[in-house]
Amino acid sequence: MSIVVTGATGHLGRHVVRQLLEKVPADQVTAVVRDRDRAADLGVRLAVADYNSPETFDGLFAAGDRVLLISGNEFDKGRVRQHTVVIDAAKKAGVALLAYTSAPESLRAALADDHRATEEVLVGSGVPYVLLRNGWYHENYTEQLAPVLEHGAVVQAAGEGRVSSASRADYAAAAVAVLTGEGHENTAYELGGDEAWSFAEYAAELSRQTGREIVYNPVSVEAYTAILTGAGVPGPLADVFAGVDAAIAKGELVVSTGDLSRLTGRPTTPLAEAVAAALKD
């Protein structure tokens, strides 16, 4: 039996592997990667496979494995088809559990469409599943601070909407709890941070920590899309990001279940802490 993590060299995957090594021996963890060289530092067994090449998953899983399917980020390559490749291979092998990083049930933006469709495939497959419906990540914002600090403004199309974000490490800890625990089969968890915040509050926190005046400048979805494309974001991806902001304005990324802190056994990382860490980098 092995715990198998797909997409293991991505931001979330690396957190998961590191935290798994705090709980289980390295020889019980397999990282699925596309590029072996990028994974040399993971310290676990490696399997090379690609969501776009179904044959690379032949024989990769074994009966009794616990698998974490981290959703792909290639929006233009048919993510549902990619995910189905992994689900089919897991079913053929007879894995004990397949956990999938999805999106909150409340999210209606286009970003959620692939997640909903993947959930349908997974639930219909008969494989014991866990739906880890991850909310938004602090890092979606704290890793994009350069233009905010340069212009002294947080620019979003989210109105007065609030976000229950948490850190990647928090969501990774939830995945590890499921992969190493018992009694999670055929369950969906709605995961988000303990405290929801608005972009005005985010701007105020940045002001507090930098000692500079940083304002929140709400714009229309159309204007935000134009800003993103002007900054070099491909049009389809800009539409996805702007659609998420529109969803935030409607309250679709407020997750108040407490599932994340219950699964991890600790409070989620405060936004202020994530901001402080980003400003140090």
Side-chain angles (χ1 to χ4, degrees), residues 43-128:
V44 298
R45 293 187 298 185
L46 301 179
V48 178
D50 189 323
Y51 294 155
N52 298 304
S53 302
E55 69 279 3
T56 61
F57 281 89
D58 290 345
L60 193 154
F61 303 124
D65 281 352
R66 295 183 174 201
V67 179
L68 176 63
L69 168 54
I70 295 179
S71 56
N73 59 6
E74 297 177 313
F75 295 93
D76 59 337
K77 291 190 176 179
R79 293 198 298 167
V80 180
R81 178 187 55 77
Q82 291 179 329
H83 300 157
T84 300
V85 165
V86 180
I87 294 167
D88 287 347
K91 179 178 181 178
K92 184 177 180 181
V95 305
L97 187 73
L98 194 154
Y100 170 66
T101 61
S102 189
E105 194 278 332
S106 56
L107 184 63
R108 291 289 174 263
L111 178 68
D113 292 347
D114 287 349
H115 292 302
R116 295 289 91 83
T118 299
E119 286 186 6
E120 287 186 17
V121 173
L122 178 53
V123 172
S125 71
V127 175

Side-chain angles (χ1 to χ4, degrees), residues 8-10 14 17-18 21 26 31-48:
T9 54
R14 285 184 173 276
V17 171
R18 281 197 293 267
L21 290 176
V32 180
V33 300
R34 285 189 293 189
D35 184 344
R36 185 179 292 273
D37 292 338
R38 285 188 61 208
D41 61 327
L42 289 178
V44 298
R45 293 187 298 185
L46 301 179
V48 178

Side-chain angles (χ1 to χ4, degrees), residues 95-264:
V95 305
L97 187 73
L98 194 154
Y100 170 66
T101 61
S102 189
E105 194 278 332
S106 56
L107 184 63
R108 291 289 174 263
L111 178 68
D113 292 347
D114 287 349
H115 292 302
R116 295 289 91 83
T118 299
E119 286 186 6
E120 287 186 17
V121 173
L122 178 53
V123 172
S125 71
V127 175
Y129 66 85
V130 179
L131 305 178
L132 296 168
R133 291 175 172 159
N134 288 356
W136 223 221
Y137 295 22
H138 291 330
E139 290 88 349
N140 290 341
Y141 304 109
T142 60
E143 289 183 350
Q144 311 298 326
L145 284 181
V148 172
L149 298 177
E150 179 184 350
H151 299 290
V154 173
V155 180
Q156 302 286 155
E160 297 179 3
R162 304 182 75 79
V163 185
S164 302
S165 65
S167 70
R168 287 196 190 103
D170 293 332
Y171 293 111
V176 169
V178 163
L179 292 168
T180 60
E182 301 297 336
H184 299 288
E185 291 83 358
N186 303 331
T187 302
Y189 292 109
E190 301 290 335
L191 304 176
D194 295 336
E195 300 289 338
W197 51 270
S198 69
F199 284 99
E201 292 167 345
Y202 176 52
E205 182 61 32
L206 287 170
S207 298
R208 186 185 71 80
Q209 293 201 30
T210 62
R212 298 167 49 192
E213 183 182 5
I214 296 175
V215 300
Y216 171 42
N217 181 17
V219 298
S220 69
V221 169
E222 294 75 18
Y224 188 54
T225 304
I227 289 168
L228 292 173
T229 54
V233 177
L237 199 54
D239 289 339
V240 167
F241 291 149
V244 169
D245 267 25
I248 290 171
K250 298 174 187 174
E252 294 178 11
L253 274 174
V254 173
V255 180
S256 56
T257 61
D259 283 355
L260 183 51
S261 54
R262 273 195 297 274
L263 270 179
T264 62

